[in-house]
Amino acid sequence: MNARLFRATGLAAAALASLVAIAILPAQEPASQPETKTPAPQPPQTLTSAHPNNAYWVEHDKQLLVDFGGLERFKEADVQLGAPAAGEDRVVFMGDSITEGWKLDQSFPGKPYINRGIGGQTTPQMLVRFREDVIDLKPKVVIILAGTNDIAGNTGPMTLDETEGNIASMAELAATNGIRVVISSVLPAYDYSWAPGLEPAPKIVEVNEWLKKYAADKGYVFVDYYSAMKDTRGGLPPNLSKDGVHPLPAGYAIMAPLAEAGIEKALKGVH
């Protein structure tokens, strides 16, 4: 075979190999390529909730996005309230729906007691609004009732340590600003209708034990609603609550003298 024929044969073999390689390529896994096409528009996401009362919780979740702490709720009322009069023993009740539903004018007629409860709130939400709704109102005493919605997970999962820390932060903010502190026990609850199966009863016992010790260590007043209201399951009995969480008038009738005694102790500097 001469050199020219050898070279021609080699070129033909190379061309054949190239054709075979090209034929095989489409069957191989393609390498990642940059996106050259605009992705198809996705349908808008619908805000949903796992809670049975879906409509309420959809609105609740929307509210968290625009005003997590509920600062707008009492903004105007706080301004209109103004400073306490000379010699006025103003008291602010800080809490969730249990406080919000408490008709203070009926339980404590003639007393300058201010209700700053917002239904559904957890302790981190209360902490956010504590300055506006408590400190800036210049009360002599604040009575804090919070924690059950933390256990229910109203603003997401929370540990008991986180709940206790938030209550401690509120109490310490008050004390730093010359406001005397009354810490309330969490009310008994065997179950939550909006978040069933969480078994809150033993968790509430644990939180209350911590709150009682914390109050004693810090020199705050502790008010024990729990012991006066619990049933054999560690919940609220039907004569005190329709849903096992929120007191009926009979429940508030038990709470009122306990709260009043706690407030009097705080005003006198007794704990």
Side-chain angles (χ1 to χ4, degrees):
M1 185 179 293
N2 60 32
R4 180 177 296 176
L5 180 60
F6 179 79
R7 187 162 49 250
T9 303
L11 289 171
L16 180 61
S18 297
L19 289 172
V20 170
I22 292 169
I24 291 172
L25 276 175
Q28 294 175 339
E29 185 69 26
S32 297
Q33 297 293 329
E35 183 63 58
T36 56
K37 233 165 71 171
T38 303
Q42 298 298 312
Q45 296 298 311
T46 303
L47 188 60
T48 60
S49 172
H51 293 285
N53 189 1
N54 186 273
Y56 170 85
W57 287 102
V58 167
E59 290 306 312
H60 172 272
D61 294 345
K62 287 179 181 177
Q63 173 67 21
L64 296 183
L65 296 176
V66 296
D67 184 9
F68 176 80
L71 293 170
E72 288 297 317
R73 173 64 178 276
F74 295 111
K75 188 174 184 178
E76 290 301 320
D78 288 345
V79 171
Q80 292 174 12
L81 186 62
E88 178 184 326
D89 291 335
R90 177 177 289 179
V91 177
V92 173
F93 284 63
M94 170 59 100
D96 49 38
S97 58
I98 295 169
T99 296
E100 182 181 20
W102 197 341
K103 295 179 172 57
L104 300 183
D105 58 337
Q106 295 179 15
S107 293
F108 312 100
K111 298 281 188 175
Y113 293 175
I114 311 301
N115 191 317
R116 288 296 178 262
I118 297 181
Q121 281 210 329
T122 55
T123 58
Q125 292 178 289
M126 294 179 209
L127 185 55
V128 167
R129 66 183 176 94
F130 196 81
R131 181 167 297 280
E132 288 79 357
D133 288 346
V134 178
I135 295 171
D136 289 351
L137 303 186
K138 304 186 185 305
K140 288 190 176 176
V141 176
V142 62
I143 181 164
I144 302 168
L145 172 54
T148 202
N149 288 329
D150 295 33
I151 296 170
N154 281 18
T155 50
M158 287 183 62
T159 66
L160 300 186
D161 284 346
E162 289 168 337
T163 298
E164 293 158 3
N166 289 331
I167 294 174
S169 292
M170 286 188 273
E172 289 161 18
L173 277 170
T176 298
N177 285 275
I179 301 167
R180 296 180 182 181
V181 177
V182 177
I183 293 179
S184 307
S185 70
V186 180
L187 267 61
Y190 181 74
D191 201 6
Y192 300 123
S193 60
W194 68 95
L198 295 178
E199 299 183 353
K203 299 169 189 174
I204 289 172
V205 170
E206 187 174 340
V207 171
N208 285 340
E209 288 174 352
W210 184 90
L211 291 173
K212 184 176 181 179
K213 183 179 185 305
Y214 171 75
D217 290 345
K218 293 291 185 177
Y220 304 144
V221 176
F222 179 72
V223 170
D224 184 9
Y225 302 129
Y226 179 87
S227 298
M229 301 176 77
K230 69 180 179 69
D231 61 17
T232 55
R233 305 180 308 164
L236 276 174
N239 65 311
L240 299 183
S241 174
K242 184 180 289 186
D243 63 1
V245 175
H246 301 91
L248 291 167
Y252 287 119
I254 292 173
M255 295 168 66
L258 296 173
E260 189 67 271
I263 292 166
E264 289 301 319
K265 285 181 180 179
L267 288 170
K268 293 174 182 176
V270 179
H271 60 86

